Amino acid sequence: MSPTPNKRILLNAFSMNCVSHHQHGLWVREDTRQLEYTQIDPWIELAQILEKGCFDALFLADVVGVYDNYKGGPETSIIEGMQVPANDPSMLVSAMAHATENIGFAYTSSVYQAHPFTFARQMSTLDHLTKGRIAWNIVTSYLRNAGFNYGLGGLPEHNKRYDLADEYLEVTYKLWEGSWEDDAVLADRKRGIYADPAKIHKINHVGKHFDVAGPHLSEPSPQRTPLLFQAGSSTRGRSFAAKHAECIFILESKEMLQGPGNVIEDIRNQARLLGRNPDDILFFQGITPVVGSTESEAKAKEAEYIEQFSEEGALAHFSGSMGIDMEAGDLDQPLDSMDPKYMRGFVQSMIKSSSDQKKTFRDLFRTRLAGQFLTGAPEQIADALQKWQQLGVDGFNLVYSVTPGSFSDFIDGVVPILQQKGLVQSEYSPGPLREKIFGTPRLTNRHVASEYRK
Amino acid sequence: MSPTPNKRILLNAFSMNCVSHHQHGLWVREDTRQLEYTQIDPWIELAQILEKGCFDALFLADVVGVYDNYKGGPETSIIEGMQVPANDPSMLVSAMAHATENIGFAYTSSVYQAHPFTFARQMSTLDHLTKGRIAWNIVTSYLRNAGFNYGLGGLPEHNKRYDLADEYLEVTYKLWEGSWEDDAVLADRKRGIYADPAKIHKINHVGKHFDVAGPHLSEPSPQRTPLLFQAGSSTRGRSFAAKHAECIFILESKEMLQGPGNVIEDIRNQARLLGRNPDDILFFQGITPVVGSTESEAKAKEAEYIEQFSEEGALAHFSGSMGIDMEAGDLDQPLDSMDPKYMRGFVQSMIKSSSDQKKTFRDLFRTRLAGQFLTGAPEQIADALQKWQQLGVDGFNLVYSVTPGSFSDFIDGVVPILQQKGLVQSEYSPGPLREKIFGTPRLTNRHVASEYRK
């Protein structure tokens, strides 16, 4: 493990273009803007609040199907607004980017939802429009309904999804890194030459899943390849992450992070074997802060949230992530009886690293619910984050209970303390998102994408 | 034909997220913002100018490949910035929408570039974000390089592209019109019910090209189906347009519009046979206005443009539209020797309606260049547009020579005259784009999409 005690903690807000993202049941409150998710204004307000708080990025989750295995159907998800409806996150970016200057925008796109030629152009366009503030959260989908929406006859098997993702990344790297040379664009008004054809290349990719001729339709953008996020906690997901990811979203317990072969240590080791530096990859732990001006105020707030929390919504959510119907009698089965076919990586990881394989799904679910909130006065939250940092975590994806309230409470209360301690930035450094985080706007030569450069 | 003398003239600005859209060679001028196409600001400025001028919509063209058949390759296109690079137009919309209130945004998306499940959600998201101001220009692609970018081994044959487009539309209609009933969303805070599962339906589309389960991931947006634009002038394109289109972009000569079987008469007749009203379809003629405060000032401006105009750029452009290399000896072949495989609809239409089939490509090209500008003092332009209207045209797609200058010249000079004559709107009517244009926010029961409603 590579502890990073002197480094700043990175902060992302975790949200989704939908009614109920993670803390289900709370959309009914008057102090949250979740019901306005279809409009532009709440997103602009959120981006501006986060930028005032010097956050690194707004991280937008997404799904391309409904969670439909709890009680054998999507009914609970629909009633709860649980990630359905779910609007396209990419469409929010240009409006938020125009209203801000520094904050990054990371959004989720599955390798099944968009052809890589189309997706690569979408990302390049946004990287230009945001002046280099765009990031991609690479996912391979885990909902079987997503597979049925794309004519796949259900969801392909876990490892096959990652194989396709590997080729998808190869195509996009060729387009982003290899198609237009740095000095291809002349924009020479005197001679009337916009670009030099000798410096723009077809990619002529011929693969198992894709044939793509190119050239890329976008000229080089500030970052070329967007900053790459991933959440790969399964075995295959970890090796994929070690190869591709720059930022990794994890949902681990402290015990899991301290054990041997923990996700951070494992992925950094694998990355080293691929010629990358340990610091080329940063880990973001998911955290749900409940901040009060005093501990008791925070506890009272938490009690309200727990009171309003929808266990039905959580069961529908968890059933989708587990790939099983948690109502259909499996709830009290031991963890090791599980078919990992539809299982999300973090669940696989939780199970793999669990000391007791005879724990049940019900145990796991309860542990997850009980551990979801990080509640306290600002100083307590700051201390807790510092402890996570000492376990090797580089940053946090903050889950809201109410939006933007959970974020502004954190920014008003916790961020100034972390800034005073020198643990989070007090102002943005210049340049594109990757430069703000890694000191360089483009991927280094240690990253696999560099192989595709001309 | 159904002349519409008492109706207002509709106005769209025609542009593209690229350097050189139509009037090639002019990007080198100091009075155009074409070189800033990658940034947000010029697009917001343009949208605000157009809204001040009461324009109906900004219409964004697009391609998903390079024009690569002139002189056997893409070199000329690249040198001229001729629709390459070309960034994704959809990514511009939310920023422009946030800076405006009434103007519509029509953008082009090919049935080959995005899976219909993904595209339908993108459109619904934007229809929400814009409060119903989104329109889709349906295209089937005409560049062979586009086919090679999507693993199609080149471009499918013309009629096959339209067959696929028919199914693509069917899938999207099912998602937009048939998946969520109007009262599916309750957003009931007291009972904690977001939506009613009984009123949200899978579409279970099983077709030749697509299998899509659904349900749609977006709740009903103001227009549900976006306002549908198309540019279908070929035989197959016309029947497709008669079935689907609400607004049709044409590039016709006055002679062609006066002849029997002209595109307006033909499509309206076909639409009538399908149960639609003639007024359910509006025709937008492409026009390139050059406005001066006096005729001589306008002529001087035109002379400058012609002087700077790039014939090479135009030949590369036209070669792509014709599907032939205009340098490789075909320039002096008669029109009827042409293989229509890669030919754009408007070219097919021009040829079909040409009285002399022994005309050559060179003749056609010269006619097109010579006829491209509509030049004069504001009164002259206004008169000319009124004459077009008398030929059955409902509106115009205005092509710029410099941007936003060509549009602001038109808005400052011509629009007030047309407004005084009661020919164009002086303020926007309320509601979504379709309601502003057709008086109703949703497609009527005469449109084929209504068959898919629950």
Side-chain angles (χ1 to χ4, degrees):
Chain A
M1 177 154 25
S2 165
T4 51
N6 299 317
K7 282 199 181 162
R8 70 177 179 95
I9 292 173
L10 288 98
L11 294 173
N12 296 332
F14 193 35
S15 190
M16 185 168 166
N17 196 353
C18 72
V19 176
S20 192
H21 177 207
H22 250 267
Q23 300 305 92
H24 306 300
L26 303 187
W27 62 266
V28 303
R29 295 175 59 91
E30 295 290 337
D31 61 351
T32 185
R33 298 192 78 174
Q34 285 161 263
L35 285 181
E36 299 170 74
Y37 79 98
T38 61
Q39 303 305 306
I40 300 179
D41 286 346
W43 294 104
I44 287 183
E45 182 194 32
L46 175 60
Q48 288 176 331
I49 287 171
L50 298 175
E51 182 159 281
K52 212 180 112 214
C54 287
F55 270 44
D56 291 278
L58 169 60
F59 183 109
L60 294 167
D62 194 25
V63 289
V64 284
V66 293
Y67 291 71
D68 65 357
N69 48 0
Y70 180 57
K71 296 180 179 174
E75 289 76 10
T76 305
S77 305
I78 290 168
I79 290 168
E80 300 283 338
M82 200 285 285
Q83 306 197 0
V84 58
N87 278 353
D88 187 328
S90 67
M91 298 293 131
L92 301 170
V93 174
S94 73
M96 292 191 294
H98 187 249
T100 55
E101 277 180 36
N102 283 291
I103 189 164
F105 301 99
Y107 71 87
T108 301
S109 185
S110 165
V111 294
Y112 287 102
Q113 79 185 81
H115 190 282
F117 187 78
T118 298
F119 179 70
R121 185 170 73 130
Q122 183 181 102
M123 272 285 163
S124 296
T125 301
L126 286 176
D127 201 45
H128 279 293
L129 290 173
T130 62
K131 298 195 203 310
R133 293 187 279 148
I134 201 75
W136 173 25
N137 178 36
I138 310 161
V139 300
T140 59
S141 294
Y142 54 89
L143 297 173
R144 63 180 182 183
N145 179 241
F148 286 112
N149 289 330
Y150 292 100
L152 307 171
L155 199 62
E157 189 267 324
H158 186 85
N159 287 352
K160 283 196 178 150
R161 304 205 305 270
Y162 276 103
D163 290 344
L164 180 130
D166 261 323
E167 189 182 335
Y168 193 101
L169 270 284
E170 188 183 330
V171 174
T172 57
Y173 293 150
K174 286 175 178 173
L175 292 165
W176 287 324
E177 302 287 333
S179 186
W180 292 60
E181 295 183 37
D182 279 339
D183 53 355
V185 173
L186 304 173
D188 183 335
R189 285 177 143 139
K190 284 212 176 109
R191 291 189 297 158
I193 300 177
Y194 187 70
D196 179 355
K199 295 187 171 172
I200 297 164
H201 311 284
K202 287 196 170 193
I203 66 163
N204 287 324
H205 175 88
V206 177
K208 189 176 164 193
H209 306 92
F210 305 107
D211 290 349
V212 181
H216 190 34
L217 291 180
S218 298
E219 61 185 271
S221 65
Q223 301 185 114
R224 286 188 177 261
T225 297
L227 184 68
L228 299 173
F229 272 86
Q230 209 245 357
S233 300
S234 68
T235 305
R236 182 70 176 86
R238 288 181 182 196
S239 69
F240 183 89
K243 181 176 173 187
H244 300 288
E246 302 176 85
C247 298
I248 296 180
F249 178 30
I250 55 175
L251 274 173
E252 305 283 308
S253 67
K254 285 185 180 163
E255 295 68 39
M256 284 157 66
L257 278 186
Q258 287 170 306
N262 70 71
V263 65
I264 297 179
E265 194 175 300
D266 182 21
I267 292 180
R268 287 210 163 119
N269 279 337
Q270 291 191 48
R272 201 182 281 113
L273 294 174
L274 296 167
R276 302 180 71 188
N277 289 352
D279 287 354
D280 290 348
I281 305 181
L282 301 177
F283 291 83
F284 292 74
Q285 169 72 14
I287 288 283
T288 309
V290 180
V291 185
S293 57
T294 61
E295 183 176 0
S296 63
E297 190 189 301
K299 290 278 183 204
K301 216 187 263 190
E302 184 197 86
E304 262 188 55
Y305 295 161
I306 289 174
E307 169 74 23
Q308 289 176 306
F309 188 79
S310 166
E311 192 167 300
E312 281 290 284
L315 280 165
H317 192 171
F318 212 48
S319 292
S321 298
M322 307 281 283
I324 55 154
D325 181 351
M326 301 222 16
E327 201 231 7
D330 287 343
L331 216 46
D332 295 301
Q333 295 299 307
L335 295 175
D336 58 8
S337 69
M338 173 187 270
D339 174 4
K341 190 172 173 190
Y342 300 113
M343 205 188 298
R344 294 197 67 178
F346 82 91
V347 181
Q348 291 187 40
S349 169
M350 281 167 88
I351 290 168
K352 198 181 151 196
S353 60
S354 168
S355 52
D356 182 2
Q357 292 289 312
K358 294 303 159 200
K359 272 189 180 165
T360 65
F361 296 136
R362 194 186 298 277
D363 297 331
L364 201 63
F365 180 68
R366 286 190 178 154
T367 310
R368 193 164 141 72
L369 284 194
Q372 69 186 328
F373 293 116
L374 175 61
T375 303
E379 297 75 15
Q380 295 173 299
I381 307 279
D383 287 346
L385 297 185
Q386 207 170 350
K387 279 184 190 125
W388 276 101
Q389 191 192 28
Q390 285 154 7
L391 293 174
V393 161
D394 304 288
F396 299 94
N397 267 9
L398 301 183
V399 178
Y400 72 82
S401 299
V402 292
T403 180
S406 296
F407 300 118
S408 39
D409 287 350
F410 184 89
I411 285 164
D412 295 342
V414 183
V415 166
I417 296 170
L418 292 170
Q419 285 173 332
Q420 254 180 335
K421 293 186 179 195
L423 286 173
V424 308
Q425 62 188 358
S426 296
E427 58 181 12
Y428 288 98
S429 50
L433 184 58
R434 182 178 286 110
E435 188 170 354
K436 285 175 163 63
I437 294 178
F438 288 103
T440 167
R442 303 262 167 98
L443 281 166
T444 68
N445 288 334
R446 295 184 297 276
H447 191 280
V448 61
S450 66
E451 290 172 22
Y452 303 103
R453 290 182 185 144
K454 281 287 174 305
Chain B
M1 178 155 26
S2 163
T4 52
N6 298 317
K7 282 200 180 161
R8 71 177 178 95
I9 293 173
L10 288 97
L11 294 174
N12 296 332
F14 193 35
S15 190
M16 185 169 166
N17 196 355
C18 71
V19 176
S20 191
H21 176 206
H22 249 268
Q23 300 306 92
H24 306 301
L26 303 187
W27 63 267
V28 303
R29 294 174 59 91
E30 295 290 338
D31 62 352
T32 184
R33 296 193 78 175
Q34 286 161 262
L35 285 182
E36 298 170 75
Y37 79 98
T38 61
Q39 302 305 306
I40 300 179
D41 286 347
W43 293 105
I44 287 184
E45 182 194 32
L46 175 60
Q48 289 176 331
I49 287 171
L50 298 175
E51 183 159 281
K52 212 181 113 212
C54 286
F55 269 45
D56 291 277
L58 169 60
F59 183 107
L60 294 167
D62 195 23
V63 289
V64 284
V66 293
Y67 291 71
D68 65 358
N69 48 0
Y70 180 57
K71 296 182 179 173
E75 289 76 9
T76 305
S77 305
I78 290 168
I79 290 168
E80 300 282 338
M82 200 285 284
Q83 304 196 2
V84 59
N87 278 352
D88 187 329
S90 68
M91 297 293 131
L92 301 170
V93 175
S94 73
M96 292 191 293
H98 187 249
T100 56
E101 276 179 36
N102 283 291
I103 190 164
F105 302 99
Y107 71 89
T108 302
S109 185
S110 166
V111 294
Y112 287 102
Q113 80 186 81
H115 190 281
F117 187 78
T118 298
F119 178 71
R121 184 169 75 130
Q122 182 180 102
M123 273 285 163
S124 296
T125 302
L126 286 176
D127 201 46
H128 279 294
L129 290 173
T130 63
K131 298 193 196 330
R133 293 187 278 147
I134 201 79
W136 173 24
N137 178 37
I138 310 162
V139 300
T140 59
S141 295
Y142 55 88
L143 298 174
R144 63 180 180 182
N145 178 241
F148 286 112
N149 288 330
Y150 292 100
L152 307 170
L155 199 64
E157 189 269 322
H158 185 86
N159 287 352
K160 283 196 179 151
R161 304 205 303 271
Y162 275 104
D163 291 344
L164 180 130
D166 261 323
E167 189 183 335
Y168 193 101
L169 272 285
E170 188 184 329
V171 174
T172 58
Y173 293 152
K174 286 175 177 173
L175 292 165
W176 287 324
E177 301 288 334
S179 186
W180 291 61
E181 295 183 37
D182 279 339
D183 54 356
V185 173
L186 304 172
D188 183 336
R189 285 178 143 138
K190 284 213 175 107
R191 291 189 297 158
I193 299 177
Y194 187 71
D196 179 356
K199 295 185 171 171
I200 297 164
H201 311 284
K202 287 195 169 193
I203 67 164
N204 286 322
H205 175 87
V206 177
K208 189 176 165 193
H209 305 92
F210 304 107
D211 290 349
V212 181
H216 190 35
L217 291 180
S218 298
E219 61 184 270
S221 65
Q223 302 184 113
R224 285 186 176 264
T225 298
L227 184 68
L228 298 174
F229 272 86
Q230 208 245 356
S233 301
S234 68
T235 305
R236 182 70 177 87
R238 288 181 181 195
S239 69
F240 184 89
K243 181 175 173 188
H244 300 287
E246 303 176 84
C247 297
I248 296 180
F249 177 30
I250 56 175
L251 274 173
E252 305 283 310
S253 68
K254 286 186 178 161
E255 295 67 38
M256 284 157 66
L257 278 186
Q258 286 169 307
N262 69 70
V263 66
I264 297 178
E265 195 174 300
D266 182 20
I267 292 179
R268 286 209 163 119
N269 280 337
Q270 290 192 49
R272 200 183 278 114
L273 294 174
L274 296 168
R276 302 180 71 186
N277 289 352
D279 287 353
D280 290 348
I281 304 180
L282 300 177
F283 291 84
F284 292 74
Q285 169 72 14
I287 287 281
T288 310
V290 179
V291 185
S293 57
T294 62
E295 183 177 1
S296 62
E297 190 188 302
K299 291 278 183 205
K301 217 186 265 191
E302 184 197 86
E304 261 188 54
Y305 295 161
I306 289 175
E307 168 75 23
Q308 289 177 305
F309 189 78
S310 166
E311 193 167 300
E312 280 291 284
L315 281 165
H317 192 170
F318 211 49
S319 292
S321 298
M322 307 283 283
I324 55 152
D325 181 351
M326 300 218 22
E327 200 230 7
D330 288 343
L331 217 47
D332 294 302
Q333 295 299 308
L335 294 175
D336 57 7
S337 69
M338 173 187 274
D339 173 4
K341 190 172 174 193
Y342 299 113
M343 206 187 299
R344 294 198 66 176
F346 82 90
V347 181
Q348 291 186 39
S349 170
M350 281 168 87
I351 290 169
K352 199 181 150 195
S353 60
S354 168
S355 53
D356 182 2
Q357 291 292 313
K358 295 302 158 204
K359 270 188 180 166
T360 64
F361 296 136
R362 196 187 295 278
D363 297 331
L364 201 63
F365 180 68
R366 285 189 178 153
T367 309
R368 192 163 141 71
L369 284 194
Q372 69 186 328
F373 292 115
L374 174 62
T375 303
E379 297 74 16
Q380 295 173 298
I381 307 279
D383 287 347
L385 296 186
Q386 207 170 350
K387 278 184 191 125
W388 277 102
Q389 190 191 30
Q390 284 154 8
L391 293 175
V393 161
D394 303 288
F396 298 94
N397 267 9
L398 301 183
V399 179
Y400 72 83
S401 299
V402 292
T403 181
S406 297
F407 300 118
S408 39
D409 286 350
F410 184 89
I411 285 164
D412 295 343
V414 183
V415 166
I417 296 170
L418 292 170
Q419 285 173 332
Q420 253 180 336
K421 293 185 177 193
L423 286 173
V424 308
Q425 62 188 0
S426 296
E427 57 181 12
Y428 289 98
S429 51
L433 183 59
R434 182 179 286 111
E435 187 169 354
K436 286 175 163 63
I437 293 177
F438 289 103
T440 167
R442 302 263 168 97
L443 282 165
T444 69
N445 288 333
R446 296 184 296 277
H447 192 280
V448 62
S450 66
E451 291 173 20
Y452 302 102
R453 289 181 185 146
K454 280 288 174 302

